[in-house]
Amino acid sequence: MSDVVERTLTALPSLLSSDPSPGRPSSTSKLGTLIRGITELTSKHDEEKLIQRELVSIKEQVSSPNTTMRQMKELMVRAVYCEMLGYEASFSYIHAIKLAQQGTALDKRVGYLAVSLFLNESHELLLLLVNTVLKDLQSTNLIEVCMALTVVGQVFPKDMIPAILPMVEEKLNHPKEIIRRKAVLALYKFYLIAPNQVQHIHSKFRKALCDKDPGVMSASLHIYLEMVTEKPESYKDLVVSFVTILKQVVGGKLPIDFNYHSVPAPWLQIQLLRILSLLGKNDRSTSEMMYEVLDESLRRAEMNHNITYAILFECVKTIYTIHPKAELLEKAAKCIGNFVLSPKINLKYLGLKALTYVVQQDANLALQHQMTIIECLDHADLIIKRETLELLFRITNGQNVKVIVEKLLEFLRHSKDDYVTIDLGGKVTELAEKYAPDNSWFIRTMNTVFLLVGDQMQPDIPNSFLRLLSEGFESAEEDQQLRLLAVDSYVSLLQEQPARLPQRFLQVISWVLGEYSSVKEGLEPATVLRLLAPLLDLRHCSSETKSWVLAAMTKLSAGPACLSVAQELAERHGGSLDTTLRQRLHELQHLASDGELLRRVLPCSDGLEPLEVDSTLSFLDGFVSEALAAGAAPYKPPHQRQEELAQEKALSVEPYGLSLPLSLSSSSIAGRLSPTVLSMSSGLSGNSTELSPKGGSALRLEGVTRVWGKEGYLAKAALKPEEAAKTEVPCPLSVLQEGGSAPRTPVVSLPAPAPGPSLQAEREKQQLASCLFMGLGSQGAAGPCLMGKAEPTRHGFRKKVKGQGSSSGARGPSGDSASSSPSPLSAQSAMDNLLCSSPLDSGSTPSPADSAPSPADSAPSPADSATSPADPAPHLPHDLPANNRPCDAQEDLTEDTDTSETVVEGNSVAVVDPYDPEPLCLSPHLPEELCGLPRSEIRPLCRDASLVLSACCVRTDHSSLLVVFVSNASDSAARRFALQMTSGDLEVSRVRGGPEEEEEHVEGHSVAVYQYSLVPTRPSVHMELAGRASYQRPDGEPQSTPFSYGLSLPDFIRPLSVSTEEYGRLWLASSNDIKQNLALLSQEPDPLRATLHRLRDRLQLNVVDIIASEGIVACQLLQGPPCLMHCRLNAGCLAVWLRSSLPELPDCLLYHCQRALAQH
Amino acid sequence: MHFLLLFSRQGRLRLQKWFTPTPEREKKKIIRDMTAMVLARKPKTCNFLHWMDLKVVYKRYASLFFCLAIDDQENELLALEILHRYVELLDKYFGNVCELDIIFNFEKAYFILDEFLIGGEVQETSKQTVARCIERLSSLRNSCRRLRL
């Protein structure tokens, strides 16, 4: 069959020539008639009528049994067209799927196209496509396979990935490169939507990377970019390969048809540069490997074409991201200069963007281009202006904050785009809080923000503003002044035109007046009440705002004058339909008349004590236990409820046994059957409903814990805030000016000023420049530094750590609709060639697919060596079971300080700490009763001048103990030594050993041993323990050192000994399950036994029984439920099925099984 | 890449491709916003726009606007060249492509796009290879016709 296709393909040219023009409009078709009909209409209404008629006729025809597939194809195209015009044609979705299923190749193609255009991932009809895709993937017709892979790469239901995954994997070995490429892209798609599913095929990605076809190789880079983003440290071993590939691409070693405007494979180059920048970030030794090729890229990209600039831009970004090298930085800076100064507006934009990126490391660069930046600030193109503001935002410091905020506010005043308004509002607030030079400026700026941004403002802005006012900062006097200023300005605002103020601002105003109007001397509460009262009459005032206003009034209502206002209000609004309002009014009236009660209810307290909030709601415990005793259902958190819901809805991916082709059933069906079902199914006749007993073989994917997140392993999430805080450190601009001395601002020397008015303009600009760039670069020739020294910046206000998320959640404008009158198609303009001058190369001759010259064959050779089968899956750098890797932050630090040496062991990069306190000599200190028990190796936790902390994890039958060794190498004792440990995943409790708490000392030259019992609160793949050791130095100074310790699930897994019968009972009792194929240790004489024993040895599982090609294994989470595993040999791999009553457990355990088997 | 839109100078949509799942309502709003924003751009302004947290890269070819939305960190110039490469591919297939070709044969324009971009990533950068794939598929059509004849 495939021969036929091949022959058809080779007969191509002659066939093509028989078709006079491949794509000219077929004006006789029905689609043509429809299109022309629409073009001739003049009103939107007519168009609507026409399309509705069209849709009715399509609907009639698609449901008619006499419609042939060919006609169906035509109908689908028309339906797609109607949808494109914005008319729903949902009735045709199911027919599109049918067309893809039943049509011949060409019809099928239209069917698939329609499906990919009509449906998105979550559409339930997509499930009906799964079978078709399966069938086509097995087809011997290459084109059908291609079509199936194309559609899989675009839309495919997440739940159904397991059903087709083995087949897509198979395609990675297909002889045709186009199939391999599409398979790689389909896997990329899977990786994006369900990373857990493709974890086991990482080695195959490596093979794709080494593919002899450059197309396949570059497709695999998409996956690598994603994976490297998530976990750069796992792919350091590939740096050499990436660098080599890039070198060869840059050197023009790829086939000529990969050139784009005579630049060799630009997309590939840029993809590689991105990957390299991620790998080289904060890693000196890795960065050093790239310097040469980066230099080469910069040098080669000389042509004056957009695509070369695109490459240059990416090069510059990479150079500034990786460990810096002066020579390259210089070249990159020159490059940015060329961009910024370019007359081409697109390049200018990119230059500004690059500057924004770079100024955080090298503020001087902004200085060099200050005049250009000033010009861009007044650019006619708003986009350029906006980008410039973004740059200014990044270079703000305590000295130029006023000018920059003024510029931002100016833009804000004219902005019509809601999203921009919200975003800029947030930025101004951030700058004001960080750098405000004085109180009155701060209040003024915030007032402007409240006025301009109005009610779309992110809610955290008013909240943090109010918190700032109430909690204050350094000096009480300043706080008081700030409040006074706020009260002052609000009183005058209310006196002017309160009706124009936005709701949020009104709320802020009422709160501040309610709390602090007493700060201002001579301001009578009654006066404030009279100012606030009219707000209740405002029509646009929401009931929420009214509540704020009334709450403020209640706080102030003391004295007879207030009582009269209150009564007046009660009369006017007493009849309001709003019950909250009425209640508040009532309260106000009551409290105003009873001063004693008011003082008791709302005690006037200036120094607001932070309120104790019982976040666990423990006072409800009694109520809950009563309710439970009375038979109420226990509370389930929302995620659990959702999970259970999902479980009920879950689909069975078991294909219908008998209707499927044989090749599939052998590879996947059998592997997914449970022991119980297997015995049942032998007597069944392939009836699918019976094959899937409720909950039994239903695949439940929603509930699976995500081991991977956007930031990498989710277990490390605890580390994130720290890292985030680090990057939040403002750019290393000097703000430290002693005694307010005049700032030294280097200003570029201007060419001799021309006489006349232009001189004036120039001067203004120069003045602006000196204001804007004040404080920049005053560090002199400090040179670019990557990490940005965390110098003690003088923050006017508390620095708010704000993520990118603060500007999200904003919504764009409702937008005015585009001109709706359909103007007739101007034939003339429509006939214009899209490419004015055809840039198509005329000389190139199409070369047949198979004989394509591949000088790139040599390209992957270095990569090949990295993936030779002898290599133990190099992307798994951790040793099992000792998972105590130092946290990444530490790793980065040690690498940065340049004191550690990096040793490459096998393929994993291990950082050897030169301070390693020889763990061996600590083992004698291990408590006697723990000797001989299995334990992880002793690893250093942290150290400072006198103390070294090390720890290991010891497993006893019923507990896991963390043993901490505190060795004091100094002569003096460390007094009042205390250890604190917390973890989100673990319950930590002190066991015994070491001196008693509080007044503990660690004598000089001694080792104290502490024991902690660890119990996991919930299973997760990795668990992080954060702690802090504090003690007093001999000179009495307190000392405190943080540390962290990583544990993994196997530390808490214990074998569970059960009989086969008990196992069966347990199996039925457990509800959460997961299935997967694992690698088999196939080189062993008895692979099943060897594999299971490996799991037993590595993960402390109990192998209950092995019968023929099946095995059952059981284990238990420490002080937790059991987890059962059923294994079965199947087509060269081990099909495992895990079950437990704890939803996360099987997933986590499976992960460690994969790891245990991946390491040889 | 988030989406690709082709529309005429009159703001009429000619082609739409969504690389990330987008609800219907949102799509309509985006199309409305895009046409309004892009058509309102003056000459001699840059080819980039901000839309929410995305960057929109657009380019006009004759009477058609090509408009591609990318993430903020992505390379705008490269996106511009992606549009150009797509136009080149259309040109190669249709031979001096014009707006009418795309209007009346939009499904073919989609097929070409599917061979070039997939799931929001560049699938194949070699023009020859993409062209070959497309040719293969159109040859299929011809051979089918012949069989019927």
Side-chain angles (χ1 to χ4, degrees):
Chain A
M1 180 68 180
S2 67
D3 287 350
V4 178
V5 179
E6 289 292 331
R7 243 176 288 147
T8 326
L9 291 179
T10 43
L12 229 167
S14 59
L15 285 171
L16 264 183
S17 53
S18 68
D19 193 9
S21 103
R24 284 297 167 201
S26 42
S27 45
T28 49
S29 72
K30 282 183 183 158
L31 175 72
T33 325
L34 171 67
I35 294 171
R36 227 164 297 112
I38 292 169
T39 334
E40 280 156 16
L41 296 175
T42 45
S43 81
K44 184 89 186 161
H45 182 70
D46 288 346
E47 181 192 302
E48 205 173 317
K49 272 205 308 213
L50 181 73
I51 304 265
Q52 290 308 348
R53 258 204 323 271
E54 182 75 20
L55 283 175
V56 169
S57 116
I58 295 177
K59 193 171 186 173
E60 242 166 52
Q61 289 183 57
V62 287
S63 39
S64 145
N66 299 327
T67 314
T68 62
M69 279 301 143
R70 191 142 175 238
Q71 286 165 325
M72 193 67 108
K73 183 188 92 192
E74 215 273 320
L75 289 167
M76 277 308 129
V77 173
R78 267 151 70 199
V80 169
Y81 190 78
C82 292
E83 281 242 327
M84 183 159 72
L85 292 179
Y87 300 88
E88 197 198 288
S90 54
F91 63 85
S92 56
Y93 297 173
I94 184 74
H95 297 284
I97 291 177
K98 244 164 72 185
L99 184 63
Q101 197 171 8
Q102 296 166 357
T104 55
L106 192 60
D107 312 329
K108 208 183 228 331
R109 184 152 197 239
V110 174
Y112 272 133
L113 174 71
V115 167
S116 73
L117 291 171
F118 286 151
L119 308 179
N120 62 23
E121 261 150 44
S122 47
H123 202 288
E124 48 197 1
L125 277 182
L126 262 191
L127 294 174
L128 299 177
L129 193 71
V130 175
N131 226 357
T132 315
V133 169
L134 267 178
K135 211 177 78 202
D136 284 339
L137 282 176
Q138 291 172 335
S139 163
T140 43
N141 184 339
L142 284 184
I143 287 169
E144 281 179 353
V145 179
C146 268
M147 286 191 279
L149 285 172
T150 308
V151 83
V152 165
Q154 301 185 58
V155 278
F156 201 75
K158 189 174 162 188
D159 308 358
M160 286 315 208
I161 292 174
I164 60 160
L165 188 58
M167 230 159 285
V168 177
E169 266 179 70
E170 223 171 76
K171 295 285 178 280
L172 289 175
N173 299 323
H174 201 277
K176 275 275 173 221
E177 65 277 351
I178 179 171
I179 305 273
R180 292 201 302 274
R181 189 181 71 218
K182 283 189 189 265
V184 168
L185 283 162
L187 289 175
Y188 167 67
K189 173 83 175 172
F190 294 166
Y191 183 83
L192 288 183
I193 57 178
N196 270 357
Q197 303 284 342
V198 288
Q199 260 182 23
H200 62 288
I201 36 181
H202 282 195
S203 59
K204 296 202 175 152
F205 295 155
R206 292 206 173 210
K207 217 176 133 209
L209 181 67
C210 305
D211 201 284
K212 64 177 191 292
D213 180 68
V216 181
M217 187 264 288
S218 50
S220 77
L221 290 182
H222 294 306
I223 302 181
Y224 273 100
L225 182 62
E226 241 7 86
M227 295 196 297
V228 170
T229 315
E230 278 179 13
K231 210 165 184 304
E233 65 276 11
S234 303
Y235 300 93
K236 299 276 185 191
D237 57 314
L238 285 177
V239 174
V240 186
S241 318
F242 290 133
V243 167
T244 321
I245 299 173
L246 183 57
K247 242 180 225 164
Q248 295 181 349
V249 175
V250 173
K253 300 260 165 57
L254 281 193
I256 196 95
D257 62 340
F258 280 88
N259 281 11
Y260 177 81
H261 294 262
S262 40
V263 176
W267 278 275
L268 187 52
Q269 284 194 44
I270 284 174
Q271 200 77 354
L272 284 166
L273 284 169
R274 281 182 190 157
I275 294 178
L276 288 183
S277 79
L278 290 168
L279 287 170
K281 195 173 181 179
N282 298 334
D283 184 342
R284 185 176 179 159
S285 56
T286 310
S287 300
E288 272 164 2
M289 292 188 244
M290 320 171 179
Y291 290 151
E292 193 192 325
V293 72
L294 286 174
D295 194 43
E296 172 100 5
S297 298
L298 279 182
R299 215 153 27 82
R300 293 248 182 180
E302 273 169 344
M303 249 205 350
N304 181 17
H305 190 279
N306 265 347
I307 199 74
T308 19
Y309 295 126
I311 295 175
L312 278 179
F313 176 76
E314 216 59 45
C315 265
V316 167
K317 254 178 98 168
T318 306
I319 289 171
Y320 270 94
T321 310
I322 61 172
H323 189 89
K325 187 188 186 200
E327 195 185 317
L328 281 178
L329 287 176
E330 204 177 296
K331 284 186 189 170
K334 216 164 107 196
C335 236
I336 296 180
N338 289 342
F339 277 11
V340 175
L341 297 173
S342 164
K344 286 188 188 160
I345 192 156
N346 285 344
L347 290 188
K348 206 179 252 316
Y349 174 91
L350 227 60
L352 287 170
K353 189 175 166 182
L355 266 185
T356 313
Y357 185 76
V358 159
V359 280
Q360 292 162 69
Q361 283 133 44
D362 184 3
N364 284 315
L365 213 53
L367 275 180
Q368 284 169 26
H369 301 294
Q370 46 180 306
M371 290 321 282
T372 321
I373 295 172
I374 302 280
E375 267 158 31
C376 291
L377 209 47
D378 292 325
H379 204 281
D381 190 349
L382 279 186
I383 304 297
I384 298 279
K385 218 166 158 176
R386 170 99 199 271
E387 201 63 28
T388 318
L389 289 177
E390 191 76 36
L391 171 62
L392 290 182
F393 169 71
R394 298 291 169 97
I395 59 166
T396 311
N397 58 36
Q399 290 164 48
N400 56 16
V401 65
K402 279 189 179 179
V403 198
I404 288 181
V405 164
E406 192 39 56
K407 286 279 163 202
L408 288 170
L409 289 177
E410 199 182 298
F411 191 87
L412 202 53
R413 277 188 198 105
H414 298 116
S415 158
K416 286 189 200 78
D417 184 337
D418 286 1
Y419 184 83
V420 174
T421 310
I422 295 166
D423 184 47
L424 282 182
K427 285 191 165 130
V428 172
T429 315
E430 196 180 329
L431 291 181
E433 285 182 8
K434 252 196 230 173
Y435 302 114
D438 59 66
N439 283 335
S440 76
W441 181 86
F442 178 66
I443 295 290
R444 253 185 295 127
T445 308
M446 288 310 292
N447 283 356
T448 322
V449 172
F450 282 126
L451 279 173
L452 287 177
V453 184
D455 293 327
Q456 309 137 332
M457 176 175 284
Q458 304 139 14
D460 60 330
I461 294 182
N463 287 346
S464 72
F465 175 72
L466 292 183
R467 215 177 56 212
L468 225 140
L469 278 182
S470 69
E471 288 173 7
F473 32 106
E474 286 129 32
S475 82
E477 201 181 309
E478 291 260 304
D479 294 350
Q480 226 39 2
Q481 194 207 359
L482 185 67
R483 289 169 194 157
L484 183 65
L485 282 164
V487 170
D488 261 347
S489 71
Y490 295 161
V491 166
S492 57
L493 272 173
L494 286 184
Q495 278 162 348
E496 282 160 22
Q497 264 187 318
R500 287 219 320 242
L501 304 177
Q503 305 287 307
R504 290 245 191 240
F505 196 22
L506 284 177
Q507 292 166 10
V508 168
I509 289 178
S510 11
W511 190 85
V512 171
L513 289 181
E515 288 288 325
Y516 299 116
S517 62
S518 58
V519 174
K520 188 175 165 67
E521 279 173 39
L523 185 64
E524 287 297 318
T527 326
V528 183
L529 284 196
R530 288 211 181 83
L531 278 174
L532 288 172
L535 298 181
L536 296 176
D537 296 325
L538 293 179
R539 220 163 359 106
H540 72 271
C541 198
S542 69
S543 96
E544 191 196 349
T545 311
K546 285 178 181 166
S547 296
W548 283 73
V549 173
L550 278 171
M553 292 173 92
T554 314
K555 288 180 208 163
L556 293 168
S557 58
C562 299
L563 186 59
S564 75
V565 179
Q567 268 159 355
E568 216 173 279
L569 277 179
E571 273 164 34
R572 187 135 31 112
H573 299 284
S576 163
L577 287 176
D578 189 339
T579 45
T580 329
L581 192 67
R582 279 217 308 275
Q583 191 197 334
R584 297 231 176 229
L585 267 174
H586 196 69
E587 285 168 10
L588 168 67
Q589 211 183 347
H590 196 71
L591 289 173
S593 60
D594 189 344
E596 182 60 33
L597 185 63
L598 176 70
R599 269 188 295 283
R600 266 218 330 264
V601 177
L602 297 163
C604 194
S605 57
D606 266 346
L608 203 61
E609 288 300 313
L611 292 173
E612 292 268 329
V613 178
D614 182 4
S615 60
T616 59
L617 304 181
S618 60
F619 56 90
L620 285 175
D621 284 353
F623 175 78
V624 171
S625 56
E626 254 171 53
L628 282 177
Y635 174 74
K636 283 176 189 160
H639 68 91
Q640 197 182 343
R641 267 177 278 163
Q642 232 159 27
E643 230 164 65
E644 282 172 6
L645 213 66
Q647 213 164 342
E648 278 163 28
K649 285 196 302 194
L651 273 161
S652 162
V653 284
E654 312 298 339
Y656 297 170
L658 294 183
S659 66
L660 259 167
L662 268 175
S663 63
L664 171 68
S665 59
S666 68
S667 70
S668 67
I669 310 181
R672 294 175 196 285
L673 294 180
S674 77
T676 42
V677 176
L678 259 188
S679 50
M680 278 164 65
S681 64
S682 56
L684 290 173
S685 53
N687 185 331
S688 72
T689 48
E690 289 172 58
L691 255 175
S692 44
K694 58 170 169 43
S697 49
L699 188 84
R700 190 187 49 76
L701 286 161
E702 273 103 320
V704 172
T705 27
R706 275 169 54 88
V707 186
W708 289 84
K710 282 266 178 238
E711 298 84 20
Y713 279 122
L714 291 182
K716 286 198 313 198
L719 262 174
K720 286 306 284 181
E722 225 178 291
E723 284 169 323
K726 209 187 284 172
T727 50
E728 271 291 321
V729 170
C731 39
L733 310 178
S734 143
V735 214
L736 269 182
Q737 289 281 345
E738 280 119 73
S741 65
R744 296 158 288 147
T745 307
V747 178
V748 284
S749 59
L750 282 169
S758 66
L759 176 69
Q760 182 64 26
E762 275 304 323
R763 236 184 237 150
E764 268 169 24
K765 274 186 186 170
Q766 210 171 353
Q767 215 166 2
L768 180 61
S770 67
C771 296
L772 278 177
F773 299 94
M774 202 185 289
L776 283 185
S778 45
Q779 276 179 328
C785 59
L786 249 190
M787 290 304 289
K789 293 187 196 97
E791 42 151 334
T793 29
R794 183 184 66 95
H795 297 304
F797 291 89
R798 182 189 356 210
K799 198 179 103 196
K800 201 164 68 168
V801 178
K802 208 185 238 180
Q804 288 292 79
S806 62
S807 50
S808 68
R811 296 216 324 270
S814 49
D816 43 346
S817 66
S819 57
S820 52
S821 64
S823 37
L825 217 140
S826 132
Q828 199 192 330
S829 69
M831 287 304 284
D832 282 351
N833 289 337
L834 293 176
L835 287 171
C836 305
S837 57
S838 173
L840 301 177
D841 31 5
S842 46
S844 57
T845 49
S847 53
D850 302 299
S851 63
S854 48
D857 266 354
S858 58
S861 55
D864 256 336
S865 69
T867 48
S868 60
D871 274 345
H875 50 285
L876 301 170
H878 316 303
D879 297 320
L880 274 176
N883 244 306
N884 319 323
R885 46 201 174 85
C887 69
D888 294 359
Q890 279 176 346
E891 216 169 271
D892 288 346
L893 277 178
T894 44
E895 279 175 25
D896 250 35
T897 46
D898 201 14
T899 47
S900 67
E901 44 186 304
T902 309
V903 179
V904 179
E905 278 178 73
N907 261 331
S908 63
V909 176
V911 175
V912 176
D913 187 351
Y915 300 123
D916 199 327
E918 299 140 82
L920 270 182
C921 42
L922 282 172
S923 42
H925 294 283
L926 201 67
E928 221 169 284
E929 67 274 17
L930 300 183
C931 292
L933 287 172
R935 64 170 172 87
S936 64
E937 64 177 293
I938 301 173
R939 295 188 59 102
L941 282 179
C942 65
R943 61 171 290 121
D944 63 11
S946 47
L947 294 192
V948 179
L949 265 68
S950 320
C952 69
C953 182
V954 183
R955 290 190 298 269
T956 71
D957 284 346
H958 305 292
S959 63
S960 288
L961 296 173
L962 181 73
V963 182
V964 182
F965 304 88
V966 183
S967 29
N968 186 350
S970 69
D971 297 329
S972 49
R975 302 188 169 274
R976 303 177 80 100
F977 183 84
L979 273 176
Q980 290 160 343
M981 277 187 249
T982 51
S983 169
D985 312 314
L986 297 166
E987 222 175 83
V988 188
S989 54
R990 176 87 183 269
V991 182
R992 59 183 199 82
E996 278 310 302
E997 283 200 65
E998 282 314 312
E999 62 269 20
E1000 321 180 53
H1001 305 319
V1002 182
E1003 298 300 333
H1005 301 291
S1006 75
V1007 177
V1009 180
Y1010 294 77
Q1011 286 181 38
Y1012 290 86
S1013 145
L1014 304 176
V1015 180
T1017 49
R1018 56 177 192 84
S1020 87
V1021 175
H1022 295 296
M1023 302 168 204
E1024 202 77 35
L1025 190 71
R1028 180 171 284 283
S1030 50
Y1031 64 94
Q1032 254 180 12
R1033 284 219 305 255
D1035 53 8
E1037 198 159 322
Q1039 187 86 13
S1040 162
T1041 319
F1043 60 84
S1044 69
Y1045 190 82
L1047 292 129
S1048 65
L1049 188 70
D1051 291 327
F1052 304 101
I1053 289 292
R1054 298 290 177 273
L1056 177 72
S1057 45
V1058 286
S1059 66
T1060 312
E1061 289 76 37
E1062 282 168 333
Y1063 181 92
R1065 271 200 300 281
L1066 274 173
W1067 181 268
L1068 291 176
S1070 318
S1071 54
N1072 299 291
D1073 60 358
I1074 183 168
K1075 285 173 241 177
Q1076 187 108 29
N1077 285 353
L1078 291 180
L1080 204 58
L1081 303 174
S1082 40
Q1083 60 273 50
E1084 304 285 334
D1086 184 351
L1088 178 66
R1089 202 168 286 272
T1091 312
L1092 292 186
H1093 285 174
R1094 161 77 67 86
L1095 291 177
R1096 183 191 64 195
D1097 298 341
R1098 293 270 168 98
L1099 301 173
Q1100 298 90 48
L1101 310 179
N1102 177 31
V1103 180
V1104 180
D1105 211 346
I1106 298 179
I1107 308 162
S1109 64
E1110 292 181 48
I1112 50 178
V1113 177
C1115 69
Q1116 182 176 19
L1117 186 67
L1118 193 63
Q1119 302 192 9
C1123 184
L1124 307 177
M1125 184 157 104
H1126 171 252
C1127 315
R1128 189 165 181 289
L1129 276 186
N1130 176 35
C1133 46
L1134 189 69
V1136 293
W1137 187 357
L1138 287 102
R1139 271 191 170 197
S1140 169
S1141 57
L1142 211 58
E1144 299 97 339
L1145 190 54
D1147 197 33
C1148 300
L1149 189 67
L1150 182 63
Y1151 171 81
H1152 284 286
C1153 290
Q1154 285 175 349
R1155 293 261 309 265
L1157 295 177
Q1159 288 169 342
H1160 294 277
Chain B
M1 272 178 246
H2 292 259
F3 54 82
L4 171 74
L5 300 178
L6 264 66
F7 48 85
S8 69
R9 243 181 353 184
Q10 291 81 28
R12 250 177 194 289
L13 196 61
R14 296 298 179 208
L15 199 89
Q16 54 172 342
K17 187 86 192 177
W18 306 86
F19 299 114
T20 44
T22 323
E24 254 353 280
R25 240 164 181 284
E26 179 87 4
K27 282 185 189 175
K28 287 201 171 135
K29 183 179 148 35
I30 291 177
I31 294 169
R32 224 171 33 228
D33 282 4
M34 283 307 121
T35 44
M37 278 167 69
V38 171
L39 293 176
R41 295 284 287 169
K42 295 188 187 76
K44 285 195 182 172
T45 48
C46 62
N47 292 59
F48 317 127
L49 280 174
H50 297 250
W51 187 84
M52 307 289 263
D53 51 350
L54 300 182
K55 288 278 169 67
V56 177
V57 175
Y58 70 92
K59 187 152 188 194
R60 185 177 155 174
Y61 288 91
S63 56
L64 258 193
F65 283 93
F66 287 67
C67 166
L68 180 66
I70 52 172
D71 273 325
D72 187 43
Q73 308 86 15
E74 276 183 67
N75 193 325
E76 286 90 349
L77 276 184
L78 193 69
L80 211 50
E81 295 313 299
I82 288 177
L83 293 180
H84 191 75
R85 171 47 60 104
Y86 181 44
V87 176
E88 283 180 6
L89 288 169
L90 289 172
D91 199 71
K92 190 170 171 88
Y93 180 77
F94 289 109
N96 273 348
V97 65
C98 68
E99 191 182 343
L100 282 179
D101 290 321
I102 296 176
I103 298 172
F104 285 97
N105 297 286
F106 67 91
E107 84 272 17
K108 282 168 203 125
Y110 275 123
F111 290 145
I112 296 172
L113 186 64
D114 281 350
E115 292 305 321
F116 176 43
L117 302 176
I118 201 165
E121 297 292 348
V122 175
Q123 179 190 180
E124 180 57 68
T125 57
S126 152
K127 190 152 74 182
Q128 303 295 338
T129 315
V130 177
R132 212 154 45 222
C133 294
I134 300 162
E135 273 164 19
R136 263 184 213 186
L137 288 150
S138 37
S139 76
L140 185 73
R141 165 218 312 278
N142 293 328
S143 56
C144 285
R145 263 190 209 148
R146 292 212 158 172
L147 288 177
R148 282 214 186 86
L149 290 171

